[in-house]
Amino acid sequence: MIAAHAPVLMSPPLWVRVAVGAVALALASMTGLKPAFADSVEATAEVTLVEVPVEVLNADGEPVRGLGLEDFELLDRGVPQVISELVAVDRGVDPNTSQTSKYRASASSPRRILLLFDVVLSQPSAVDRARSAARELVLTGLASSDLVAVMTLSLDGPQMLMSFTSDRMQLARALDALASPELLATAQVGDPLSLTFNAPSAAPELEANVSRRLPGSGQTAAGGETQQEVMARLRAIDRQVEGQAKRRSRDVVEGWSKALAELGRILGSLRGRKHVLYFSEGFDSGLLLGDQGDSELGALQHEDLEQESLTRERGERWLRQESDDFGFAPLRESIRRAGDAFSAADAVVDTIDISGLVATSGTGRRARRSSLQSLARSTGGQHYGGTSSLVEALERALERSAYSYVLRFYPRPLEWDGSYHELEVGLSGPAGLPRRTRLWHRPGYHAPRPFQELHPLEKRLLAADAVMTVAPRRELEMNVLLAAFESTPGAYVPVMIEVDGPSLLVGQRSDRLEVEFFVYATDSRGTLSDFLSHRVAFDLQRVRRRLTATGLKFYGDLELGPEQYRVRVLVRNAETGRTSVWAKPLERTQPDAATPRLLPPFFVDTRDDWLLAREPVTGDQVIYPFLWDEKPFIPAVLPRLERRSGFDFMLVAYGFEAGPLALEIRAVPQDEALAGGSVELLSTELLTIEKSGERSLLQGRFDASNLALGAYRLETIVRHEQDHQQAKVISQITVVE
């Protein structure tokens, strides 16, 4: 179970348990040097990369392969653009299983699938059937690289249950909680990015049997509830919109279409194609005719609506007539705008009719089905008649784009005003291209908007997507320190983040600086193991000088069991949106007394101008592992040592037998020109050795006076002088004047 992080819940050895006041004193007592950052970023003008998926099909509907960049032409609002890159996307092989499949995604280009549940136009029993089928799809029917999100659509707009994630356990919990309004109200406390879903009652069952489906009537569901109890909870959701749902009036449908259009605009902020599986019963398409007809006429006019949708599908703009833009009624125009919003966001909506065997039949049923068909076709998607074989439906929906091209270009000039840009893509006419070739492409895109104008849900999605995909963003200069200290019951992993001050202030206009920190650890299966998030605020009128001189230093921690992890860190200026993302593997091995292990040397940071912040803690004591001479100290994340002697450091080793230990440190220049590329044995002074159980604490003093200026790889070796035990660790330092 993942909950809001609470470091004091661990039971570590006494050597890491110190008073909060002592840590505060250490955080406030640093003296010294100018900081440096490994990932230096130069200030650049903001540019926007636009991706345009293109499918080229021959007369038989088969993809045309082997085209190159020179075979395409691209116009943005009629202006020819330079295509900077062309990528051929072939989803014919699942890299995780090496099995052929028509709907598998590649690891380098994860597929984004949004499970969208309509709670406005759907009955509780239908939503329950849909979530059960979606749960099976999530647990058994997707590639491990797929990123899946869960949302509901109500008259209040889209509601996030789970951001795009590869964690199937969290997704299953979110889908289980869809049946419980009370659980939904309390489940996501602690994670502002919605990458975790804390469903305590569901967690034990999910972990015991990850593939269990919701049983039939009378049997227990997630959290020990019966099917009847689940249905009662879903009816509670339905009662919230009962008055509107009974009428299925034009006002309700118009509100629904506006919420749908809002979601389309929100998805437009995410790069790449989004596949939306929209679960709904639909509405009476006769409403699309306004006062001109009834439900039956709406069904009869379905062919006309379908033809219009086809002309708008994936950029076939040349088949449209300008008079078609006015539609039959204002409601139809509102729904059309929703479809346009999804198309501009490069989101394909496949509608799933979840009505099942309901009372509505004949013409009325066809009229409601036609509304779902029209929505799907307006975005280039398809309509499916039910959830009985959702995995098969998804395969059919996605095999259309099993082979496609992605055109990437930087539109210039481009105003960040959110305006719509219509795209035209054509073929240059290669000689070998078959006749009757058809080309499908994204019809357009919306220009970016300033970060301050984004919807809160957009900001959450952008941060969550950057964390999950480890997007290459380096707008802030930062360094991160991780180390796995052994403890009980698992490892205590301190996370120290340094952020360069000047990079934080770029674009900052107000005097209130707010910085967001997000840290997530996922295991080798993509399951989220622990996380922390925190938001700090400063008055720049008071701290601007210190922030400019150094930067911001944040401290938090994770608790992890034996496993291989990938730790992801995202830092963002909450006003400007400037972001940096960092990721690093971390292996937490099973403690083994016979296998010595060594943590990298932690150098005492001598800089005193940092702005300091830490993850909130409770109680009068806090776990803190960095001690020198029995006093807490602040470690340097990226050690920059003056060319002199006397730099204090701490070493922690595990698994050594009692007895004398010997220390050896070698410096290998990163630049072979330094010191002739030699490996030099450094002079170090071993001050103390403390043995406590399987842990040995070594404290020493480092001499860098004979090193040339530059970056070095440190090879630190600890040997047992009698039992021939040895442990080695690699780290980095930089020597400065």
Side-chain angles (χ1 to χ4, degrees):
M1 181 183 70
I2 297 174
H5 203 61
V8 294
L9 295 180
M10 291 182 59
S11 300
L14 292 176
W15 62 274
V16 295
R17 203 178 274 280
V18 297
V20 173
V23 177
L25 181 62
L27 291 173
S29 62
M30 300 184 298
T31 59
L33 298 174
K34 177 69 178 176
F37 293 83
D39 299 322
S40 181
V41 181
E42 296 181 359
T44 58
E46 289 183 303
V47 295
T48 299
L49 175 66
V50 178
E51 295 184 342
V52 186
V54 179
E55 297 166 27
V56 184
L57 307 177
N58 60 23
D60 298 325
E62 297 295 327
V64 176
R65 301 171 182 263
L67 298 179
L69 190 148
E70 68 281 356
D71 297 321
F72 291 93
E73 296 176 343
L74 174 64
L75 281 74
D76 182 342
R77 286 183 170 178
V79 178
Q81 300 291 319
V82 176
I83 303 173
S84 61
E85 185 180 11
L86 181 143
V87 178
V89 179
D90 190 348
R91 302 187 187 277
V93 177
D94 179 8
N96 303 289
T97 63
S98 299
Q99 295 177 352
T100 300
S101 171
K102 292 183 178 180
Y103 65 103
R104 297 300 189 185
S106 68
S108 60
S109 177
R111 191 173 54 184
R112 293 173 176 83
I113 300 170
L114 170 60
L115 305 177
L116 180 62
F117 296 86
D118 181 353
V119 297
V120 177
L121 306 177
S122 305
Q123 298 295 322
S125 58
V127 174
D128 186 42
R129 281 193 299 273
R131 76 165 187 88
S132 181
R135 192 177 189 276
E136 179 184 7
L137 171 69
V138 163
L139 294 177
T140 64
L142 299 176
S144 59
S145 59
D146 288 335
L147 300 179
V148 184
V150 180
M151 294 188 190
T152 60
L153 187 72
S154 69
L155 294 180
D156 294 328
Q159 306 295 321
M160 175 88 76
L161 273 70
M162 181 66 59
S163 297
F164 288 98
T165 179
S166 60
D167 191 332
R168 303 298 181 252
M169 188 71 68
Q170 298 293 334
L171 289 163
R173 290 172 181 169
L175 290 167
D176 283 339
L178 182 60
S180 173
E182 296 171 357
L183 190 56
L184 283 177
T186 60
Q188 292 172 302
V189 175
D191 182 9
L193 298 190
S194 300
L195 287 172
T196 63
F197 204 98
N198 303 325
S201 60
E205 290 190 37
L206 286 168
E207 291 164 359
N209 185 0
V210 75
S211 62
R212 180 180 61 82
R213 294 184 58 188
L214 184 68
S217 177
Q219 299 184 28
T220 58
E225 295 179 310
T226 65
Q227 180 76 358
Q228 289 84 354
E229 290 172 332
V230 169
M231 292 304 303
R233 293 180 182 278
L234 284 171
R235 291 190 182 97
I237 297 177
D238 188 57
R239 283 195 294 271
Q240 298 176 10
V241 294
E242 184 176 3
Q244 300 94 329
K246 286 181 178 179
R247 295 194 301 271
R248 292 291 190 267
S249 66
R250 203 167 11 177
D251 290 341
V252 172
V253 177
E254 187 173 10
W256 163 85
S257 66
K258 289 180 179 178
L260 204 60
E262 180 182 46
L263 176 58
R265 288 190 294 271
I266 288 171
L267 291 177
S269 295
L270 293 180
R271 284 181 53 187
R273 171 154 295 181
K274 281 73 65 176
H275 298 275
V276 181
L277 297 184
Y278 176 55
F279 301 93
S280 177
E281 292 188 69
F283 64 93
D284 188 344
S285 61
L287 294 171
L288 294 176
L289 300 177
D291 297 329
Q292 301 177 42
D294 55 17
S295 299
E296 183 172 359
L297 181 57
L300 295 175
Q301 292 288 348
H302 171 57
E303 292 184 3
D304 293 336
L305 297 175
E306 223 176 42
Q307 180 60 43
E308 179 192 359
S309 298
L310 280 170
T311 65
R312 304 175 60 80
E313 191 176 324
R314 297 196 190 178
E316 270 195 333
R317 53 185 294 280
W318 55 87
L319 297 179
R320 291 169 49 195
Q321 298 180 11
E322 293 301 322
S323 59
D324 291 337
D325 288 337
F326 298 95
F328 292 124
L331 179 57
R332 183 179 170 192
E333 183 65 23
S334 177
I335 295 175
R336 172 185 293 165
R337 286 195 295 269
D340 285 346
F342 280 100
S343 295
D346 193 16
V348 177
V349 180
D350 290 300
T351 55
I352 314 292
D353 186 352
I354 63 174
S355 57
L357 299 176
V358 295
T360 305
S361 60
T363 302
R365 181 63 249 152
R366 291 196 302 272
R368 294 176 65 180
R369 183 171 62 245
S370 69
S371 66
L372 295 176
Q373 292 170 330
S374 298
L375 173 63
R377 289 187 179 273
S378 69
T379 67
Q382 293 188 17
H383 172 70
Y384 298 94
T387 61
S388 58
S389 181
L390 189 58
V391 174
E392 181 181 351
L394 178 63
E395 180 175 357
R396 295 199 309 269
L398 297 178
E399 67 182 359
R400 302 189 306 268
S401 57
Y403 188 91
S404 62
Y405 300 92
V406 177
L407 309 182
R408 294 173 176 166
F409 75 103
Y410 296 91
R412 294 178 180 172
L414 179 67
E415 296 292 335
W416 282 48
D417 55 5
S419 60
Y420 182 72
H421 288 241
E422 192 169 29
L423 295 173
E424 297 178 61
V425 178
L427 296 172
S428 302
L433 204 63
R435 299 183 60 184
R436 298 180 60 191
T437 297
R438 292 177 295 163
L439 184 146
W440 310 80
H441 67 85
R442 179 181 184 179
Y445 69 95
H446 285 281
R449 290 168 290 146
F451 184 77
Q452 298 88 333
E453 298 178 10
L454 296 183
H455 190 283
L457 187 55
E458 284 181 270
K459 297 179 180 180
R460 288 167 61 188
L461 277 173
L462 284 171
D465 191 72
V467 167
M468 291 306 303
T469 61
V470 193
R473 298 189 64 174
R474 295 291 185 271
E475 296 158 357
L476 303 176
E477 302 174 25
M478 73 173 184
N479 297 309
V480 182
L481 180 150
L482 294 174
F485 288 81
E486 297 296 342
S487 185
T488 303
Y492 176 81
V493 181
V495 182
M496 190 79 73
I497 305 172
E498 293 178 351
V499 188
D500 173 60
S503 69
L504 270 175
L505 296 176
V506 174
Q508 178 77 24
R509 295 183 178 180
S510 71
D511 286 331
R512 180 178 174 83
L513 173 67
E514 297 188 39
V515 185
E516 299 169 306
F517 294 90
F518 304 99
V519 182
Y520 294 84
T522 54
D523 64 18
S524 57
R525 298 175 299 277
T527 301
L528 187 63
S529 300
D530 200 4
F531 79 98
L532 70 89
S533 64
H534 189 52
R535 185 169 179 149
V536 298
F538 298 96
D539 182 354
L540 288 179
Q541 291 185 348
R542 301 176 57 186
V543 303
R544 185 182 295 271
R545 180 175 297 179
R546 288 179 61 192
L547 189 65
T548 303
T550 52
L552 173 61
K553 198 160 189 169
F554 173 80
Y555 176 78
D557 62 83
L558 302 170
E559 298 176 25
L560 303 173
E563 178 62 272
Q564 290 183 343
Y565 297 96
R566 187 169 178 80
V567 179
R568 309 152 192 261
V569 177
L570 183 143
V571 180
R572 182 169 68 181
N573 182 315
E575 176 180 317
T576 66
R578 287 174 59 83
T579 301
S580 277
V581 182
W582 179 95
K584 182 179 180 181
L586 177 71
E587 184 173 3
R588 158 75 168 94
T589 59
Q590 185 73 39
D592 183 358
T595 306
R597 183 171 72 90
L598 183 65
L599 297 184
F602 301 109
F603 287 88
V604 177
D605 197 337
T606 57
R607 293 165 284 189
D608 65 350
D609 287 339
W610 290 105
L611 283 178
L612 302 169
R614 70 152 297 146
E615 179 187 12
V617 296
T618 57
D620 58 355
Q621 286 189 326
V622 59
I623 299 170
Y624 193 75
F626 301 110
L627 303 173
W628 201 91
D629 197 17
E630 299 184 355
K631 297 179 181 178
F633 72 91
I634 302 297
V637 173
L638 185 66
R640 284 174 62 88
L641 311 179
E642 290 179 321
R643 193 161 51 178
R644 60 177 175 81
S645 61
F647 289 97
D648 296 330
F649 66 90
M650 177 189 83
L651 275 173
V652 177
Y654 297 95
F656 281 95
E657 297 293 337
L661 299 180
L663 172 65
E664 178 180 315
I665 299 181
R666 296 177 180 269
V668 180
Q670 301 283 42
D671 184 353
E672 293 184 358
L674 291 179
S678 64
V679 177
E680 183 177 357
L681 178 62
L682 300 181
S683 170
T684 60
E685 180 184 356
L686 189 58
L687 299 180
T688 60
I689 299 179
E690 174 191 330
K691 179 75 173 176
S692 175
E694 297 302 326
R695 170 190 155 275
S696 298
L697 176 63
L698 294 78
Q699 296 177 339
R701 194 155 284 137
F702 186 89
D703 184 355
S705 59
N706 294 324
L707 291 178
L709 304 183
Y712 291 84
R713 184 179 80 249
L714 279 192
E715 298 178 354
T716 303
I717 301 172
V718 173
R719 292 189 179 92
H720 195 288
E721 293 185 345
Q722 297 175 349
D723 295 338
H724 307 291
Q725 292 177 303
Q726 176 176 307
K728 179 179 178 179
V729 68
I730 304 296
S731 59
Q732 290 184 333
I733 64 167
T734 301
V735 177
V736 298
E737 191 63 61

